């Protein structure tokens, strides 16, 4: 059927949590004509029309980026608010909801396979995300209900009508969904916050622009309000997400530094909640590099940025219409690395773009070797239907695969975390590793740290001693759980040396932080007289991250002057280390010592009395 425009008046969107009658909001197609006979849509013959709306189970599957993940969390939140159960079990669900990605062919192929399985199982199906939005006439979407990327606040209506046996298409609207919709986070400690949709670019290979459209930014006030709300909910990491974070606000008269400063001002000053800035293309941060660097130095902001370069050849960047040169990309990386201690930058590479020569590829390899990025996302070129690059002369597939393997081999030869052994780092723990043994935390530079400890450590900030390093992450032992009342100091006030990336900021005037190589003391961020010390405490080698079972216990063996301290807070055990000699005296200690003194005095008095 034809795409149905919203028919609502005055702004178009229903208030959050309010459902309009579906017939007044979207178009529906209940019957299909086949062989001159009207028959119910084949997908929907098994629909649960006899069940009360809001009592069914929904299988939700998400493909693609963090923005898609956030959309899925919003859809799950609304469905849950109306009584639906969200499940990972496809077979036992009453309806399937698939949130799709159109960036790469493999993602869309996986979506096609899932749709075929759903049709075979005769389950009601709703397809959301970038594929139906950017490719509305796909054969795979025939007879399927679809909901667009800007229509996620109407998912309850679409699901209810689909369960009744109707085919619904809801794709077009010019306003952004509210940020205050109900939300069920995949990780309750992580809020994925979309700051804008669409972009200002016109990359020749990109299909996402067809789906997400031109740049549309949320206001600074609405985003700051959302940040305050999720912090109150107990969120410990906020990921800013968009198709191009750097372009934020250019459509509403503001810019990214204005937004970031406003958000940082709303975060707790103790560093209990961290901000991660999302992917940004080089053109839109070149004019704000110093302001961005200042924000990345803030103790509540991860010193990490994802800046895609895509190719090390200016000729290929021109063919991609990326609107920057390799030299400008280098300026972004060099400036941030110089101004932000411990800065970590991730990038993306597309191998085998149409017209890429051996010389072009060699320039890409040289760029990656020069910077030895700790994270590089390497993709083979996939022609996306409807894009200019799909019409360009392709590089032979065997050459594309060869170049991808070669670049992967170069990247995997790097050892980016060597030298971190023995460091004392503050990390923020927000997840459980896939091996279900380790907890996952990140340093200020967003280096992944795996530790062993109770699940009560989730959502906490701790100091760890790095015991060993792997290719993709490092391993550490928990030393102390940091109290949320402790205020952190901005490390930008510190004078850094050439070994600055190996230092961690201290957390109060008595703490020290350890560097792996620097021997000469220097002022710490907290103002302590000593920053870099030799750490000779023994620790157990943990092996590498390919064999994560060989991990030391929660706390490594400490010197005899150290004692384990366990306390209870809100029913959760806290483990820390402290010097026995530095123990604070409390009321109980004073009473006990006084009692002992009085007992000794009484005994002496009795002996003297008997003697006389």
């Amino acid at each position: 059927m034809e795409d149905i425009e919203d028919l609502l008046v005055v702004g178009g969107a229903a208030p959050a949590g309010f459902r309009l009658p579906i017939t007044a909001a979207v178009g529906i197609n209940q019957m299909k004509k086949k062989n001159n006979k009207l028959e119910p849509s084949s997908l929907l013959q098994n629909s649960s029309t006899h069940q009360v709306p809001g009592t069914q189970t929904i299988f939700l599957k998400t493909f693609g980026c963090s923005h898609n993940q956030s959309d899925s969390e919003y859809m799950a939140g609304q469905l849950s608010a109306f009584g639906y159960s969200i499940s990972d079990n496809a077979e036992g669900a009453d309806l399937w909801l698939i949130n799709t990605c159109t960036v790469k062919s493999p993602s869309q192929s996986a979506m096609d396979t899932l749709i075929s399985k759903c049709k075979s199982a005769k389950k009601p199906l709703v397809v959301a995300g970038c594929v139906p939005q950017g490719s509305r006439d796909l054969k795979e979407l025939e007879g399927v209900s679809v909901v667009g990327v800007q229509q996620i606040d109407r998912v309850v209506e679409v699901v209810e009508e689909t369960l009744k046996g109707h085919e619904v298409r809801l794709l077009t609207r010019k306003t952004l969904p509210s940020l205050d919709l109900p939300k069920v986070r995949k990780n309750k400690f992580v809020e994925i916050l979309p700051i804008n949709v669409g972009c200002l670019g016109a990359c020749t290979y990109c299909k996402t622009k067809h789906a997400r459209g031109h740049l549309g930014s949320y206001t600074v006030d609405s985003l700051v309000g959302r940040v305050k709300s999720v912090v109150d909910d107990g969120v410990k990491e906020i990921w800013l997400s968009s198709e191009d974070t750097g372009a934020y606000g250019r459509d509403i008269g503001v810019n990214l530094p204005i937004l970031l400063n406003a958000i940082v001002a709303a975060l707790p000053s103790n560093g209990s909640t961290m901000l991660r800035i999302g992917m940004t293309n080089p053109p839109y941060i070149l004019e704000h590099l110093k302001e961005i660097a200042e924000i990345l130095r803030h103790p509540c902001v991860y010193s990490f940025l994802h800046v895609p370069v895509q190719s090390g050849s200016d000729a290929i960047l021109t063919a991609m219409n990326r609107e920057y040169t390799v030299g400008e990309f280098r300026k972004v990386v060099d400036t941030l690395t110089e101004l932000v201690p411990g800065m970590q930058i991730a990038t993306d590479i597309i191998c085998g773009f149409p017209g890429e020569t051996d010389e072009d590829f060699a320039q890409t390899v040289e760029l990656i070797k020069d910077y030895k990025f700790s994270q590089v996302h390497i993709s083979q070129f996939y022609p996306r239907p409807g894009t200019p690059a799909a019409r360009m002369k392709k590089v032979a597939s065997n050459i594309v695969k060869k170049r991808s393997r070669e670049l992967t081999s170069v990247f995997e030869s790097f050892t980016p975390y060597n030298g971190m052994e023995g460091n004392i780092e503050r990390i923020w723990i927000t997840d459980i590793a896939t091996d279900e043994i380790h907890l996952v935390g990140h340093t200020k530079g967003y280096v992944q740290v795996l530790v062993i400890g109770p699940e009560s450590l989730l959502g906490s900030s701790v100091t760890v001693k790095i015991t060993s390093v792997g290719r993709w992450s490092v391993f550490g032992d928990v030393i102390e759980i940091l109290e949320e009342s402790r205020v952190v100091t901005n490390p930008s006030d510190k004078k850094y040396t050439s070994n600055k990336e190996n230092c961690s900021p201290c957390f109060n005037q008595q703490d020290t932080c350890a560097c792996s190589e620097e021997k000469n003391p220097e002022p710490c961020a907290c103002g302590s007289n000593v920053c870099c010390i030799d750490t000779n405490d023994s620790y157990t080698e943990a092996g590498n991250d390919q064999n994560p079972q060989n991990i030391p216990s929660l706390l490594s063996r400490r010197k005899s002057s150290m004692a384990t301290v366990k306390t209870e807070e809100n029913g959760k055990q806290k483990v820390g280390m402290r010097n026995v000699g530095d123990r604070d005296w409390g009321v109980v200690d004073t009473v006990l010592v006084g009692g002992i003194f009085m007992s000794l005095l009484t005994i002496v008095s009795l002996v003297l009395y008997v003697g006389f």
Side-chain angles (χ1 to χ4, degrees):
M1 62 181 296
E2 296 297 324
D3 297 332
I4 303 299
E5 301 282 336
D6 278 2
L7 302 180
L8 299 177
V9 295
V10 191
F18 178 75
R19 289 179 290 181
L20 289 167
I22 195 73
T23 53
V26 300
I28 58 175
N29 182 21
Q30 186 170 12
M31 307 294 284
K32 298 178 70 177
K33 189 173 182 179
K34 184 176 181 181
N35 297 329
N36 298 321
K37 294 182 180 180
L38 287 176
E39 297 180 0
S41 178
S42 59
L43 270 183
L44 309 173
Q45 294 179 21
N46 196 36
S47 63
S48 306
T49 56
H50 62 283
Q51 295 188 23
V52 176
T55 62
Q56 294 89 343
T57 299
I58 311 297
F59 166 65
L60 176 57
K61 175 68 176 178
T62 306
F63 294 95
C65 64
S66 60
H67 198 160
N68 261 22
Q69 181 63 53
S70 177
D71 287 350
S72 289
E73 291 176 354
Y74 273 124
M75 289 190 286
Q78 294 170 87
L79 290 166
S80 296
F82 281 100
Y84 293 97
S85 299
I86 308 301
S87 173
D88 293 329
N89 180 13
E91 287 72 20
D94 298 297
L95 177 142
W96 290 14
L97 173 58
I98 305 174
N99 194 3
T100 60
C101 173
T102 190
V103 171
K104 298 179 183 179
S105 298
S107 296
Q108 191 159 333
S109 296
M111 176 210 74
D112 293 343
T113 301
L114 203 56
I115 289 176
S116 296
K117 287 180 63 177
C118 187
K119 289 180 177 179
S120 298
K122 294 185 178 181
K123 298 275 189 178
L125 173 64
V126 176
V127 177
C130 292
V131 170
Q133 190 76 65
S135 304
R136 305 183 179 197
D137 299 325
L138 277 179
K139 183 179 180 181
E140 289 79 8
L141 298 178
E142 291 181 2
V144 174
S145 290
V146 297
V147 56
V149 293
Q150 292 189 29
Q151 300 284 6
I152 58 173
D153 55 346
R154 307 283 291 282
V155 68
V156 174
E157 304 166 46
V158 176
V159 163
E160 288 188 351
E161 291 303 316
T162 303
L163 285 167
K164 293 176 184 177
H166 301 154
E167 176 191 338
V168 182
R169 295 178 68 91
L170 185 58
L171 290 169
T172 306
R173 193 181 67 198
K174 297 180 180 179
T175 57
L176 298 175
S178 171
L179 293 172
D180 295 326
L181 296 169
K183 194 171 192 180
V184 175
R185 300 182 189 93
K186 184 177 181 181
N187 183 331
K188 69 177 183 178
F189 298 111
V190 176
E191 166 74 5
I192 304 173
L193 179 61
I195 63 173
N196 55 263
V197 300
C199 69
L200 295 174
C203 300
T204 56
Y205 57 83
C206 182
K207 185 75 172 176
T208 305
K209 180 67 176 280
H210 296 189
R212 295 284 182 179
H214 198 67
L215 180 67
S217 303
Y218 287 96
T219 65
V220 172
D221 288 344
S222 65
L223 291 165
V224 170
R226 180 66 182 178
V227 166
K228 292 178 178 178
S229 174
V230 301
V231 168
D232 291 341
D233 286 344
V235 162
K236 299 303 180 183
E237 282 188 9
I238 299 173
W239 299 356
L240 302 187
S241 178
S242 76
E243 282 63 59
D244 187 357
T245 302
Y248 168 79
R250 290 173 179 257
D251 57 321
I252 57 174
V254 294
N255 58 38
L256 183 61
I258 291 174
L259 172 66
L260 295 179
N261 282 309
I263 289 178
V264 166
L267 294 176
S269 60
N270 57 17
S272 59
T273 301
M274 294 294 288
L275 179 70
R276 193 184 84 175
I277 303 174
M279 184 275 290
T280 180
N281 289 312
Y284 304 112
I285 60 169
L286 279 167
E287 62 189 86
H288 301 301
L289 283 178
K290 290 186 177 180
E291 296 102 312
I292 298 295
E294 179 67 24
I295 293 162
L296 289 166
R297 288 197 297 266
H298 193 280
C300 296
V301 181
Y302 285 120
S303 304
F304 170 84
L305 198 60
H306 178 195
V307 187
V309 64
Q310 304 301 5
S311 175
S313 164
D314 282 338
I316 296 302
L317 291 179
T318 300
M320 292 177 172
N321 197 28
R322 289 289 288 170
E323 301 180 346
Y324 59 87
T325 65
V326 175
E328 289 172 329
F329 172 79
R330 286 180 179 270
K331 180 181 178 181
V332 170
V333 176
D334 293 341
T335 302
L336 294 180
T337 302
E338 177 186 358
L339 297 179
V340 184
M343 183 70 195
Q344 296 284 327
I345 292 180
T347 195
D348 299 346
I349 296 292
I350 296 175
C351 288
F353 188 82
E356 184 184 66
T357 65
D358 289 341
E359 182 181 355
D360 294 325
F361 178 68
Q363 292 174 9
T364 299
V365 173
E366 180 184 2
L367 178 72
I368 299 303
K369 285 182 176 179
D370 283 349
Y371 288 103
K372 294 181 172 58
F373 298 105
S374 58
Q375 295 182 42
V376 179
H377 310 119
I378 301 170
S379 302
Q380 299 176 32
F381 171 73
Y382 295 102
R384 306 304 297 133
T387 62
R391 300 188 296 270
M392 298 178 183
K393 186 177 180 180
K394 300 177 181 60
V395 178
S397 59
N398 61 319
I399 295 177
V400 175
K401 293 177 182 178
K402 178 177 178 293
R403 289 174 181 173
S404 178
R405 288 194 298 267
E406 180 181 341
L407 189 60
T408 299
S409 178
V410 169
F411 165 64
E412 291 182 348
S413 69
F414 304 152
T415 53
Y417 305 131
N418 277 5
M420 289 188 67
E421 296 96 332
N423 283 10
I424 305 299
E425 300 276 356
R426 181 180 184 177
I427 68 170
W428 290 261
I429 299 175
T430 57
D431 209 348
I432 300 175
T434 54
D435 63 5
E436 298 184 351
I437 297 174
H438 297 88
L439 303 179
V440 180
H442 292 91
T443 67
K444 174 75 163 62
Y446 213 68
V447 176
Q448 180 174 272
V449 182
L450 301 179
V451 299
I452 287 183
E455 288 190 18
S456 60
L457 288 179
L458 287 170
S460 64
S461 179
V462 304
T463 53
V464 298
K465 181 176 181 178
I466 305 302
T467 57
S468 65
V469 300
R471 176 58 186 84
W472 313 108
S473 55
V474 303
F475 296 83
D477 286 348
V478 175
I479 297 175
E480 179 187 9
I481 298 174
L482 301 176
E483 298 177 1
E484 290 196 356
S485 60
R486 183 174 296 178
V487 178
V488 296
T489 306
N490 192 338
S492 64
D493 298 334
K494 178 182 173 182
K495 295 180 180 178
Y496 292 90
T497 68
S498 60
N499 193 47
K500 58 186 175 289
E501 68 274 8
N502 291 322
C503 288
S504 301
C506 304
F507 305 108
N508 61 34
Q509 294 291 333
Q510 287 72 41
D511 288 344
T512 57
C513 54
C515 304
S516 59
E517 297 176 3
E518 184 68 51
K519 300 300 180 184
N520 299 321
E522 65 180 58
C524 198
C526 56
S528 176
N529 292 328
V530 178
C531 173
C532 298
I533 60 174
D534 291 326
T535 52
N536 296 318
D537 295 347
S538 60
Y539 62 93
T540 306
E541 254 338 291
N544 58 47
D545 53 353
Q546 302 302 319
N547 185 20
Q549 285 74 19
N550 298 325
I551 300 297
S553 60
L554 172 62
L555 295 173
S556 58
R557 294 182 179 180
R558 310 294 291 167
K559 290 181 179 179
S560 58
S561 61
M562 303 296 287
T564 303
V565 180
K566 297 184 179 180
T567 61
E568 292 288 326
E569 184 176 290
N570 297 327
K572 296 183 179 180
Q573 189 181 72
K574 299 176 67 178
V575 183
M577 302 299 294
R578 66 185 300 177
N579 286 313
V580 174
D582 295 337
R583 180 180 177 187
D584 298 328
W585 283 70
V587 175
V588 175
D589 299 306
T590 304
V591 171
L592 288 175
V593 173
I596 294 172
F597 178 76
M598 292 300 296
S599 299
L600 290 174
L601 185 61
T602 301
I603 293 172
V604 170
S605 300
L606 289 172
V607 170
L608 291 176
Y609 176 78
V610 172
F612 284 107

